[in-house]
Each structure stands twice: as C-alpha cells, then as structure tokens.
Amino acid sequence: MATLRDVARRAGVSIATVSYVLNGTRPVSPEVEARVWEAVVALGYRPNRLARGLRRKRTHVLGLIVPDSANPFFAEIARGLEDLSFAHDYSLILCNSDGDPAKEQRYLGVLIEQQVDGIALVSASATPAHLALLQERGIPFVVVDRDLPGLEADCVLADNFQGGYLATRHLLDRGHRRIACITGPSDLTPSADRVRGYRKAMEEAGIEPLEVWVRRGDFRAESGYHAACFLLSLPPSVRPTAIFACNDLMAIGTMRAIGEAGLSIPRDIALVGFDDILLASYVIPPLTTVAQPTYEMGRLAGELLLRRIQARDRPPARHLLSVRLVVRHST
Amino acid sequence: MATLRDVARRAGVSIATVSYVLNGTRPVSPEVEARVWEAVVALGYRPNRLARGLRRKRTHVLGLIVPDSANPFFAEIARGLEDLSFAHDYSLILCNSDGDPAKEQRYLGVLIEQQVDGIALVSASATPAHLALLQERGIPFVVVDRDLPGLEADCVLADNFQGGYLATRHLLDRGHRRIACITGPSDLTPSADRVRGYRKAMEEAGIEPLEVWVRRGDFRAESGYHAACFLLSLPPSVRPTAIFACNDLMAIGTMRAIGEAGLSIPRDIALVGFDDILLASYVIPPLTTVAQPTYEMGRLAGELLLRRIQARDRPPARHLLSVRLVVRHST
DNA sequence: CTCACGAGGTTAAACGTTTAACATCATGAA
DNA sequence: TTCATGATGTTAAACGTTTAACCTCGTGAG
C-alpha cells in the first residue's frame, strides 16, 4: 500500500524523482538514487499498475477469448499465449465464450473497459460484424484458429485443408476405399476446411463419398460416439472400413463405439483423428492423428499482437501454420 | 474513447450527474436521465475500469495461479473459477507457475501491482512462507488443491485421503490382498494423502504392505509405466494382483506395461486410478478411478474469494470436497 | 566577471472516475 | 411571510502515476 508519495517522503525527495529512479527515465544523482532504493525496499513499495495504466494509456494486459478453456486444444493455445505474455511482462485475462456470440460480445466489452492493450480471440460467430467494436476503437486484435471471411486483420490459422487431405490420403494409401468422415459444426471454418481436404483427397482417388459417410458432430467425444454407432450400423456393403474424425475427442468417442461393437482397431476399422491432443498417444491403440502446432499458435498470436501494439498500421499478417500427420497404431 | 466528460458535455450536465445516472447512486430527474442515456449510446461510451478501480480501490479482477493451465485438471479448475467470476462480473487473470516457486512469487507481485481483488492459487511451494506477501497486505486469497501446513487461510481441497481409502477398499472387497500403490511426488499433499488412505485401508484389513509395493512416480504416464514394469517383475509370490495408481495418467502407463507383459486387466491384475480424466472412460478396459469435483473446486474457490472480499475478517474456511469412486471395468 | 549551459532537482497538470460537500429552488408547514 | 426540507444539480478533491515545464546551481568559455 505504500505509494510513490510515501517513498518520496522517506527518501526526502519529490515523487517525480522517485518515478525517474524507478523507470530510469531521467538521470538522478547516485546518492539520491541510493536513498530512493533504500526507501523502496524498506517500504515494500510496488507500483500501482492502474494508476500507471491510466496515465500512460497502456496497461500491459492482454485478453484472450476462447470457446472453452477446459478444452485441451484451447487450453494449449492459452498456455502458449500466456507464456509469451509473461515473457514480455504482460498479463493475460482469460475469457470463455462457450461458443455464444452474445457472451463473446459481452466479454469484448469487458476487455475494452479493462483497457487491455490487445485481444486474441477464437471467434464464436462466423461473421466479423461484432469486431467492428474493436476496429473503430483501434484496439489491436488477432483472430486465432477460425477464419472470418472478409476481415482485414491479423490472424493465425492451422492449415486445416491440408490436414484433412493428409489424413484421408493416408487412409487411401493404406488401401481403404470406403472412408467416412465425422465433421464438426459445419459453419466453423476449421471443420469445413478439413472436410474439404477429405473431399479433395477422395476426389483425387476417383471416389465419390456416399452422403451417409459424412456425419456431423460437434467436436465432443459423445457426438463422435453417436456418429460412429450410426456408421457401424450401415449394411456391410457400404459400411466404411476407415473413419476420419475431425478432431481427437470425436475419434476417441469413435474408438468406444468400435470397441463396443466388438470390432478391432485397426484390423476391422482404421481411424484417424485431428489435433494430436495429449490423450491421443495414450489411448489404446495410440491414435494416428493430424498434429496442429497448437501451443505455437498461441505464442504466435501473442507475437502478432505485441507487434501490432508497437506499430498499429502495419498491413495485416495472415499466418497459415502447417500441420503434420502423426502415424501411430490406429491405421 | 469517449469519456465521462464527453457524455456530460453532450447531455449538457456535469460529469457527476452522468456518474450518478450510470451507477444509479443518486436519484436524477427523468429528463436529465434520458438525455444522459442518449449521449451514452450516441457516443458509445464505456467506463474506464482503470480509473474506476483507482478511485474505488476495487478492480473487479481476480488472479489465478496454477502450475500448468494446459493440464486438464488445472484447466478444469480454471474453468470453474472463470465461470463464477463472469457470473459476478469479475475478470480473471491467468498465471502459470510451472511448479516453480520463484515464478509463482513473480506472479504474486504482478497480481498485487495489478491490484486484483483476490487470488486463488495452487501453490508451487510446500511452505506458506511466500504468502506472507499477501497476508501483510491483506489481499484475499484462497489455496486450492494443495494444503499448506500451518496456514491460516481459506482453502478448498478434495478429500484425497478418503479417495485413497476408497480405491484400496474397493480392491480389498474384490478379494485382493497383494495391492501395490504408485504414488506421486511425496511432498505434495494430494499425493501423500492418497497414500495415507491406501495404508489405512490396508491396515484395517490387517495387511502390512511390503515396501516394494509402494513405488514413487511423478504423476506422468511414463513414470507409471516404469513403476508397473518393476512391480510385474517381482517374484510371483509377492507380485501384486492389484495396483492403485495415484492418478489416471500413471494408471494408463501401468495399463501399457500390463499389456506388454501379456497380462490382462482385470483378470490378472486389477487397476484403479485417480482423477477421472476424460480419457479414463475411453481406454480399454475403461478405468475404475476416483473422481474429484474439479470444476466445483474452481467455483468454490471463487465463492470463498468473493465472500472474503465482502468480509475480510471472517474466520478462514476449510472445505474438504468429497470424492467418489467410479467403478468401471478395470477391477 | 558574465553568462550560457547542463545536471539534477521540483511543481503541477494531466489520465477518467467517484463521491463528499455544497448550491439552488420549489414546496408546504407554521 | 418565513424558513426548514427534500429533490436535484454542480464543484472539486481525491485515487497513484507520468511527464512537460520550470527552477537552481556550479562550471567553464569568452
């Protein structure tokens, strides 16, 4: 609770001098400097960042909005961003939108009021309309993971199309022809791009995927389970011999369904996931999956943010991070 | 960027009046109130929380320090706390200590400077010394998951002792006598308490556990694998027929070791884990484990924090949340 | 001996709120 | 008629910093 004034009084100087010593913003004589430091440690002085932020119009705080920070994928992004923030002496405010645009909007408001220096967000809505709020106020932001069509802004994405393509190609190379795909909510670009990659690979192989092979999920394990149950119930002639699940959680749900059906992976059904979450290597059999540089995405988002805070009017940067197929034992 | 002054000017009143309207802290005539609101929306006015915090000495921001927010256990706690914070219009600053007391200390400093209203932490160090910083400044805080001996403070813990006891009892009830235990780093109270529960149950059953049955791990899957390999290599007469792993990750490592040894779960060896992470229900066979109310712990931590912010000098509350045995097919 | 200058200190005005204290005015009781 | 009262507005002082502007010396050049 000691304030600049207290330190100044104890050191017998003005508060301006103390400030100069603390920030090194102006030369101060050695004796005075020593007295000031003595007072600082004696009083356990800590600068008040609110006051500083108010005056400097820079808070050294960033905001992160994700649909669900308990989801390992977003948790990893958050971790990457937090690490970068800490390294640059920024703090991070964490927000969960639950995929609800209205909640996201409220959080944007809070972050603005909190005067954060920048915002990273995995947007809950598919259109960039709600970001006008940020743009007109000139608040730096970067969109992560999900592309917003027609938005002029920094963004960092994984190459989901490429990922879907690689996964499917891998299954095709293993000799599979009847390959199913369990998608995410289709209006989210990561999901849609993965499916596009799947279709592209199939097309290149001269296969027209049956409509029933493409099942819609919601990125949660439960939905993968249900989709897989449906696929397994198809008549043998059209039943898929391989499944590409658009994320690992749904792949794990799929594993359960396959196990319960008394089938074996990969002998009866091959399986590829997406994300390479930690669990993927621990399930039995270990899951072949497409790894995204999740942590890296968080870090990079932070870097772009800091860079833009420095120079507000650089042209927007678009980063497409490449993914990589991790072959394990489920294929 | 519009400020109170701008709103006041447009509405033709003083800034005090605007403040009263916005906060409803004093009655204002209907016409004036209407003019103020008109100006507020026209200008897109947003209060500056820094200024407000500076003046009110309340920021409506909480801090959370965990070892690793990407770890699903802590991520879930964070989620619980964040949800509660949002519901009460608080923001949450997320900090990762990496289990390093020095880093934790730096974060404490940052949070203090940030003038957070309260701090929840899963402490990285085993002694409460570093919390003196908070106590002498009277900053509300609550310790979560890990107990700090001799600390007078709010805390929320899972009943790890009970969990260890339940797990072991369950194995005893199944007829097992030679039961091993794979522990975590022993200086962390959650791990130590689980082992105590194990010993208590064994003692009640009149069994003196052999020293070799208690193997130390580090909560990671790899260490569970190694510990299990050792246990399986024991001569048949003392080789355990059941294993209690102090967390699910190590249990999963154990499963791998058992599988590689050509043994079957639960026929040859029964297995119980701890935590009930998502994966536990997806491995084959699904893992019997002890579930902690993780999300609840986060929420409760938030509740205690807010309660203490209201009334700083209540006696400290100690919450021991009960755990529950989830029986699946590994036993 | 002046005087410009640099070094090293201080003063005071912001930053955007909240809130105690004060001003004004109509109202109704005495 | 007078005056306390309540309703509703304003003024100005905080909150804890940063920083431009100013002040005061001693020093060395002219």
Side-chain angles (χ1 to χ4, degrees), chain A residues 14 16-17 26 29 32 55 57:
Chain A
S14 72
T17 301
R26 259 192 45 184
S29 74
V32 168
R55 174 64 219 233
K57 294 174 166 308

Side-chain angles (χ1 to χ4, degrees), chain A residues 4-330:
Chain A
L4 261 197
R5 192 188 317 292
D6 301 323
V7 175
R9 184 161 31 223
R10 184 180 227 270
V13 295
S14 72
I15 66 172
T17 301
V18 178
S19 176
Y20 291 134
V21 170
L22 260 44
N23 299 306
T25 36
R26 259 192 45 184
V28 168
S29 74
E31 318 86 279
V32 168
E33 176 157 1
R35 289 214 313 277
V36 167
W37 282 118
E38 186 277 335
V40 163
V41 322
L43 298 175
Y45 169 78
R46 296 251 176 201
N48 180 324
R49 296 207 188 197
L50 295 190
R52 184 194 304 237
L54 183 57
R55 174 64 219 233
R56 284 220 195 129
K57 294 174 166 308
R58 283 289 203 81
T59 52
H60 264 232
V61 175
L62 301 179
L64 169 66
I65 307 182
V66 292
D68 175 16
S69 65
N71 174 317
F73 177 69
F74 300 123
E76 194 72 20
I77 291 181
R79 187 65 222 264
L81 179 55
E82 206 282 309
D83 280 358
L84 188 103
S85 302
F86 181 71
H88 290 77
D89 196 31
Y90 275 74
S91 299
L92 184 68
I93 295 184
L94 177 69
C95 311
N96 287 107
S97 68
D98 285 318
D100 173 3
K103 198 172 172 199
E104 174 170 306
Q105 192 74 3
R106 283 198 50 193
Y107 266 122
L108 284 175
V110 170
L111 292 179
I112 289 175
E113 295 181 4
Q114 213 76 247
Q115 315 291 121
V116 296
D117 289 343
I119 298 177
L121 84 167
V122 178
S123 179
S125 86
T127 70
H130 59 301
L131 298 182
L133 203 59
L134 299 179
Q135 296 189 298
E136 63 200 21
R137 284 169 198 256
I139 298 177
F141 68 95
V142 43
V143 334
V144 184
D145 183 47
R146 298 179 184 173
D147 199 8
L148 295 181
L151 179 68
E152 286 288 308
D154 289 326
C155 81
V156 10
L157 306 168
D159 195 340
N160 291 293
F161 174 79
Q162 170 80 348
Y165 180 83
L166 283 177
T168 312
R169 263 313 286 271
H170 174 67
L171 291 170
L172 288 164
D173 290 348
R174 285 279 201 265
H176 294 281
R177 311 289 295 165
R178 301 203 299 271
I179 303 175
C181 178
I182 302 177
T183 79
S186 70
D187 51 340
L188 298 179
T189 61
S191 165
D193 288 345
R194 289 168 202 177
V195 177
R196 277 182 38 235
Y198 158 80
R199 291 193 187 280
K200 177 76 184 309
M202 293 294 269
E203 182 188 323
E204 279 186 13
I207 305 174
E208 169 93 19
L210 295 185
E211 270 316 310
V212 289
W213 289 349
V214 180
R215 305 298 298 170
R216 179 154 173 184
D218 63 4
F219 277 153
R220 284 182 298 197
E222 203 59 20
S223 72
Y225 175 79
H226 291 308
C229 287
F230 171 85
L231 291 170
L232 295 177
S233 73
L234 291 174
S237 59
V238 299
R239 186 199 301 164
T241 64
I243 298 177
F244 165 44
C246 279
N247 80 348
D248 285 347
L249 250 34
M250 295 195 298
I252 288 169
T254 300
M255 293 183 82
R256 168 137 84 181
I258 295 174
E260 288 180 2
L263 299 175
S264 133
I265 303 173
R267 205 176 42 238
D268 302 314
I269 305 240
L271 181 62
V272 179
F274 208 113
D275 283 354
D276 194 27
I277 59 179
L278 186 66
L279 309 193
S281 58
Y282 287 124
V283 291
I284 301 172
L287 184 66
T288 293
T289 187
V290 177
Q292 302 189 60
T294 325
Y295 179 85
E296 244 337 294
M297 289 169 68
R299 275 195 84 91
L300 184 54
E303 280 171 17
L304 293 185
L305 224 37
L306 296 189
R307 215 175 294 167
R308 180 156 301 279
I309 289 171
Q310 298 294 316
R312 335 279 288 193
D313 37 10
R314 295 183 312 111
R318 246 186 113 70
H319 288 253
L320 201 62
L321 275 57
S322 53
V323 300
R324 133 179 111 36
L325 184 72
V326 179
V327 180
R328 299 206 180 89
H329 303 313
S330 69

Side-chain angles (χ1 to χ4, degrees), chain B residues 108-242:
Chain B
L108 284 175
V110 170
L111 293 178
I112 289 174
E113 295 181 5
Q114 214 76 247
Q115 315 292 121
V116 296
D117 288 344
I119 298 177
L121 84 168
V122 177
S123 180
S125 86
T127 70
H130 59 302
L131 298 182
L133 203 60
L134 299 180
Q135 295 188 297
E136 64 201 22
R137 285 169 198 257
I139 298 177
F141 68 95
V142 43
V143 333
V144 185
D145 182 47
R146 299 178 185 174
D147 199 8
L148 295 181
L151 179 68
E152 286 288 308
D154 290 325
C155 81
V156 9
L157 306 168
D159 194 340
N160 290 294
F161 173 79
Q162 170 79 350
Y165 180 83
L166 283 178
T168 312
R169 263 311 289 271
H170 173 67
L171 291 169
L172 288 164
D173 290 348
R174 284 279 200 265
H176 294 281
R177 311 291 294 167
R178 301 202 300 271
I179 303 175
C181 178
I182 302 178
T183 79
S186 69
D187 51 340
L188 297 180
T189 61
S191 165
D193 288 345
R194 289 168 202 177
V195 178
R196 277 181 39 235
Y198 158 79
R199 291 191 187 282
K200 178 74 185 307
M202 293 295 270
E203 183 189 322
E204 279 186 13
I207 305 174
E208 169 93 18
L210 295 185
E211 270 316 310
V212 289
W213 288 351
V214 179
R215 306 298 299 170
R216 179 155 172 184
D218 63 3
F219 278 155
R220 284 181 297 198
E222 203 59 20
S223 72
Y225 175 80
H226 290 309
C229 286
F230 171 85
L231 292 170
L232 296 177
S233 72
L234 292 174
S237 59
V238 299
R239 185 199 301 163
T241 64

Side-chain angles (χ1 to χ4, degrees), chain B residues 4 19-20 23 26 45 51 55:
Chain B
L4 262 198
S19 176
Y20 291 134
N23 300 306
R26 261 193 43 184
Y45 169 78
R55 175 62 220 233

